[in-house]
mmCIF file with all atom_site columns, all heavy atoms in Angstrom:
data_model
loop_
_atom_site.group_PDB
_atom_site.id
_atom_site.type_symbol
_atom_site.label_atom_id
_atom_site.label_alt_id
_atom_site.label_comp_id
_atom_site.label_asym_id
_atom_site.label_entity_id
_atom_site.label_seq_id
_atom_site.pdbx_PDB_ins_code
_atom_site.Cartn_x
_atom_site.Cartn_y
_atom_site.Cartn_z
_atom_site.occupancy
_atom_site.B_iso_or_equiv
_atom_site.pdbx_formal_charge
_atom_site.auth_seq_id
_atom_site.auth_comp_id
_atom_site.auth_asym_id
_atom_site.auth_atom_id
_atom_site.pdbx_PDB_model_num
ATOM 1   N N   . ARG A 1 314 ? 5.774  -3.047 25.954 1.00 0.00 ? 319 ARG A N   1
ATOM 2   C CA  . ARG A 1 314 ? 4.653  -3.360 26.843 1.00 0.00 ? 319 ARG A CA  1
ATOM 3   C C   . ARG A 1 314 ? 3.334  -2.752 26.389 1.00 0.00 ? 319 ARG A C   1
ATOM 4   O O   . ARG A 1 314 ? 2.295  -3.020 26.980 1.00 0.00 ? 319 ARG A O   1
ATOM 5   C CB  . ARG A 1 314 ? 4.956  -2.859 28.259 1.00 0.00 ? 319 ARG A CB  1
ATOM 6   C CG  . ARG A 1 314 ? 6.013  -3.642 29.004 1.00 0.00 ? 319 ARG A CG  1
ATOM 7   C CD  . ARG A 1 314 ? 6.168  -3.095 30.420 1.00 0.00 ? 319 ARG A CD  1
ATOM 8   N NE  . ARG A 1 314 ? 7.042  -3.929 31.233 1.00 0.00 ? 319 ARG A NE  1
ATOM 9   C CZ  . ARG A 1 314 ? 8.357  -3.796 31.296 1.00 0.00 ? 319 ARG A CZ  1
ATOM 10  N NH1 . ARG A 1 314 ? 8.943  -2.849 30.568 1.00 0.00 ? 319 ARG A NH1 1
ATOM 11  N NH2 . ARG A 1 314 ? 9.087  -4.585 32.052 1.00 0.00 ? 319 ARG A NH2 1
ATOM 12  N N   . HIS A 1 315 ? 3.364  -1.931 25.368 1.00 0.00 ? 320 HIS A N   1
ATOM 13  C CA  . HIS A 1 315 ? 2.161  -1.223 24.939 1.00 0.00 ? 320 HIS A CA  1
ATOM 14  C C   . HIS A 1 315 ? 1.811  -1.596 23.499 1.00 0.00 ? 320 HIS A C   1
ATOM 15  O O   . HIS A 1 315 ? 2.672  -2.028 22.726 1.00 0.00 ? 320 HIS A O   1
ATOM 16  C CB  . HIS A 1 315 ? 2.364  0.289  25.044 1.00 0.00 ? 320 HIS A CB  1
ATOM 17  C CG  . HIS A 1 315 ? 2.779  0.746  26.403 1.00 0.00 ? 320 HIS A CG  1
ATOM 18  N ND1 . HIS A 1 315 ? 1.898  0.894  27.444 1.00 0.00 ? 320 HIS A ND1 1
ATOM 19  C CD2 . HIS A 1 315 ? 4.013  1.065  26.902 1.00 0.00 ? 320 HIS A CD2 1
ATOM 20  C CE1 . HIS A 1 315 ? 2.545  1.293  28.525 1.00 0.00 ? 320 HIS A CE1 1
ATOM 21  N NE2 . HIS A 1 315 ? 3.834  1.407  28.225 1.00 0.00 ? 320 HIS A NE2 1
ATOM 22  N N   . ALA A 1 316 ? 0.549  -1.422 23.162 1.00 0.00 ? 321 ALA A N   1
ATOM 23  C CA  . ALA A 1 316 ? 0.102  -1.613 21.779 1.00 0.00 ? 321 ALA A CA  1
ATOM 24  C C   . ALA A 1 316 ? 0.305  -0.303 21.030 1.00 0.00 ? 321 ALA A C   1
ATOM 25  O O   . ALA A 1 316 ? -0.394 0.681  21.288 1.00 0.00 ? 321 ALA A O   1
ATOM 26  C CB  . ALA A 1 316 ? -1.364 -2.035 21.743 1.00 0.00 ? 321 ALA A CB  1
ATOM 27  N N   . TRP A 1 317 ? 1.271  -0.271 20.130 1.00 0.00 ? 322 TRP A N   1
ATOM 28  C CA  . TRP A 1 317 ? 1.553  0.955  19.392 1.00 0.00 ? 322 TRP A CA  1
ATOM 29  C C   . TRP A 1 317 ? 0.396  1.295  18.466 1.00 0.00 ? 322 TRP A C   1
ATOM 30  O O   . TRP A 1 317 ? -0.190 0.416  17.815 1.00 0.00 ? 322 TRP A O   1
ATOM 31  C CB  . TRP A 1 317 ? 2.825  0.798  18.568 1.00 0.00 ? 322 TRP A CB  1
ATOM 32  C CG  . TRP A 1 317 ? 4.079  0.768  19.386 1.00 0.00 ? 322 TRP A CG  1
ATOM 33  C CD1 . TRP A 1 317 ? 4.184  0.850  20.739 1.00 0.00 ? 322 TRP A CD1 1
ATOM 34  C CD2 . TRP A 1 317 ? 5.412  0.635  18.885 1.00 0.00 ? 322 TRP A CD2 1
ATOM 35  N NE1 . TRP A 1 317 ? 5.494  0.778  21.131 1.00 0.00 ? 322 TRP A NE1 1
ATOM 36  C CE2 . TRP A 1 317 ? 6.281  0.647  20.009 1.00 0.00 ? 322 TRP A CE2 1
ATOM 37  C CE3 . TRP A 1 317 ? 5.965  0.503  17.621 1.00 0.00 ? 322 TRP A CE3 1
ATOM 38  C CZ2 . TRP A 1 317 ? 7.657  0.531  19.879 1.00 0.00 ? 322 TRP A CZ2 1
ATOM 39  C CZ3 . TRP A 1 317 ? 7.338  0.389  17.492 1.00 0.00 ? 322 TRP A CZ3 1
ATOM 40  C CH2 . TRP A 1 317 ? 8.174  0.410  18.612 1.00 0.00 ? 322 TRP A CH2 1
ATOM 41  N N   . SER A 1 318 ? 0.094  2.567  18.392 1.00 0.00 ? 323 SER A N   1
ATOM 42  C CA  . SER A 1 318 ? -0.910 3.044  17.444 1.00 0.00 ? 323 SER A CA  1
ATOM 43  C C   . SER A 1 318 ? -0.276 3.186  16.063 1.00 0.00 ? 323 SER A C   1
ATOM 44  O O   . SER A 1 318 ? 0.950  3.117  15.907 1.00 0.00 ? 323 SER A O   1
ATOM 45  C CB  . SER A 1 318 ? -1.455 4.397  17.899 1.00 0.00 ? 323 SER A CB  1
ATOM 46  O OG  . SER A 1 318 ? -0.426 5.385  17.845 1.00 0.00 ? 323 SER A OG  1
ATOM 47  N N   . ALA A 1 319 ? -1.115 3.415  15.063 1.00 0.00 ? 324 ALA A N   1
ATOM 48  C CA  . ALA A 1 319 ? -0.599 3.611  13.705 1.00 0.00 ? 324 ALA A CA  1
ATOM 49  C C   . ALA A 1 319 ? 0.326  4.817  13.649 1.00 0.00 ? 324 ALA A C   1
ATOM 50  O O   . ALA A 1 319 ? 1.355  4.799  12.961 1.00 0.00 ? 324 ALA A O   1
ATOM 51  C CB  . ALA A 1 319 ? -1.759 3.768  12.725 1.00 0.00 ? 324 ALA A CB  1
ATOM 52  N N   . ALA A 1 320 ? -0.018 5.874  14.381 1.00 0.00 ? 325 ALA A N   1
ATOM 53  C CA  . ALA A 1 320 ? 0.822  7.071  14.391 1.00 0.00 ? 325 ALA A CA  1
ATOM 54  C C   . ALA A 1 320 ? 2.173  6.788  15.036 1.00 0.00 ? 325 ALA A C   1
ATOM 55  O O   . ALA A 1 320 ? 3.211  7.279  14.573 1.00 0.00 ? 325 ALA A O   1
ATOM 56  C CB  . ALA A 1 320 ? 0.106  8.207  15.122 1.00 0.00 ? 325 ALA A CB  1
ATOM 57  N N   . GLN A 1 321 ? 2.191  5.982  16.103 1.00 0.00 ? 326 GLN A N   1
ATOM 58  C CA  . GLN A 1 321 ? 3.461  5.637  16.746 1.00 0.00 ? 326 GLN A CA  1
ATOM 59  C C   . GLN A 1 321 ? 4.337  4.799  15.821 1.00 0.00 ? 326 GLN A C   1
ATOM 60  O O   . GLN A 1 321 ? 5.548  5.024  15.728 1.00 0.00 ? 326 GLN A O   1
ATOM 61  C CB  . GLN A 1 321 ? 3.195  4.879  18.048 1.00 0.00 ? 326 GLN A CB  1
ATOM 62  C CG  . GLN A 1 321 ? 2.703  5.739  19.188 1.00 0.00 ? 326 GLN A CG  1
ATOM 63  C CD  . GLN A 1 321 ? 2.389  4.904  20.416 1.00 0.00 ? 326 GLN A CD  1
ATOM 64  O OE1 . GLN A 1 321 ? 1.480  4.074  20.405 1.00 0.00 ? 326 GLN A OE1 1
ATOM 65  N NE2 . GLN A 1 321 ? 3.151  5.111  21.472 1.00 0.00 ? 326 GLN A NE2 1
ATOM 66  N N   . VAL A 1 322 ? 3.749  3.838  15.152 1.00 0.00 ? 327 VAL A N   1
ATOM 67  C CA  . VAL A 1 322 ? 4.528  3.008  14.228 1.00 0.00 ? 327 VAL A CA  1
ATOM 68  C C   . VAL A 1 322 ? 5.131  3.872  13.132 1.00 0.00 ? 327 VAL A C   1
ATOM 69  O O   . VAL A 1 322 ? 6.318  3.760  12.798 1.00 0.00 ? 327 VAL A O   1
ATOM 70  C CB  . VAL A 1 322 ? 3.643  1.898  13.624 1.00 0.00 ? 327 VAL A CB  1
ATOM 71  C CG1 . VAL A 1 322 ? 4.400  1.144  12.536 1.00 0.00 ? 327 VAL A CG1 1
ATOM 72  C CG2 . VAL A 1 322 ? 3.176  0.939  14.705 1.00 0.00 ? 327 VAL A CG2 1
ATOM 73  N N   . ARG A 1 323 ? 4.322  4.756  12.572 1.00 0.00 ? 328 ARG A N   1
ATOM 74  C CA  . ARG A 1 323 ? 4.795  5.618  11.487 1.00 0.00 ? 328 ARG A CA  1
ATOM 75  C C   . ARG A 1 323 ? 5.914  6.542  11.964 1.00 0.00 ? 328 ARG A C   1
ATOM 76  O O   . ARG A 1 323 ? 6.863  6.827  11.225 1.00 0.00 ? 328 ARG A O   1
ATOM 77  C CB  . ARG A 1 323 ? 3.618  6.425  10.941 1.00 0.00 ? 328 ARG A CB  1
ATOM 78  C CG  . ARG A 1 323 ? 3.928  7.235  9.698  1.00 0.00 ? 328 ARG A CG  1
ATOM 79  C CD  . ARG A 1 323 ? 2.654  7.764  9.059  1.00 0.00 ? 328 ARG A CD  1
ATOM 80  N NE  . ARG A 1 323 ? 1.834  8.526  9.984  1.00 0.00 ? 328 ARG A NE  1
ATOM 81  C CZ  . ARG A 1 323 ? 0.681  8.118  10.475 1.00 0.00 ? 328 ARG A CZ  1
ATOM 82  N NH1 . ARG A 1 323 ? 0.207  6.926  10.148 1.00 0.00 ? 328 ARG A NH1 1
ATOM 83  N NH2 . ARG A 1 323 ? -0.021 8.876  11.301 1.00 0.00 ? 328 ARG A NH2 1
ATOM 84  N N   . ARG A 1 324 ? 5.826  7.001  13.218 1.00 0.00 ? 329 ARG A N   1
ATOM 85  C CA  . ARG A 1 324 ? 6.818  7.937  13.744 1.00 0.00 ? 329 ARG A CA  1
ATOM 86  C C   . ARG A 1 324 ? 8.108  7.248  14.163 1.00 0.00 ? 329 ARG A C   1
ATOM 87  O O   . ARG A 1 324 ? 9.200  7.822  14.057 1.00 0.00 ? 329 ARG A O   1
ATOM 88  C CB  . ARG A 1 324 ? 6.219  8.677  14.938 1.00 0.00 ? 329 ARG A CB  1
ATOM 89  C CG  . ARG A 1 324 ? 7.127  9.771  15.492 1.00 0.00 ? 329 ARG A CG  1
ATOM 90  C CD  . ARG A 1 324 ? 6.469  10.537 16.620 1.00 0.00 ? 329 ARG A CD  1
ATOM 91  N NE  . ARG A 1 324 ? 6.316  9.740  17.828 1.00 0.00 ? 329 ARG A NE  1
ATOM 92  C CZ  . ARG A 1 324 ? 5.177  9.275  18.294 1.00 0.00 ? 329 ARG A CZ  1
ATOM 93  N NH1 . ARG A 1 324 ? 4.052  9.510  17.635 1.00 0.00 ? 329 ARG A NH1 1
ATOM 94  N NH2 . ARG A 1 324 ? 5.121  8.564  19.405 1.00 0.00 ? 329 ARG A NH2 1
ATOM 95  N N   . LEU A 1 325 ? 8.026  5.996  14.619 1.00 0.00 ? 330 LEU A N   1
ATOM 96  C CA  . LEU A 1 325 ? 9.177  5.353  15.247 1.00 0.00 ? 330 LEU A CA  1
ATOM 97  C C   . LEU A 1 325 ? 9.929  4.383  14.345 1.00 0.00 ? 330 LEU A C   1
ATOM 98  O O   . LEU A 1 325 ? 11.085 4.058  14.632 1.00 0.00 ? 330 LEU A O   1
ATOM 99  C CB  . LEU A 1 325 ? 8.724  4.597  16.503 1.00 0.00 ? 330 LEU A CB  1
ATOM 100 C CG  . LEU A 1 325 ? 8.101  5.428  17.622 1.00 0.00 ? 330 LEU A CG  1
ATOM 101 C CD1 . LEU A 1 325 ? 7.634  4.522  18.751 1.00 0.00 ? 330 LEU A CD1 1
ATOM 102 C CD2 . LEU A 1 325 ? 9.092  6.463  18.137 1.00 0.00 ? 330 LEU A CD2 1
#
Side-chain angles (χ1 to χ4, degrees):
R319 288 183 172 88
H320 305 281
W322 289 1
S323 66
Q326 285 177 295
V327 173
R328 187 168 55 251
R329 185 177 70 252
L330 298 177

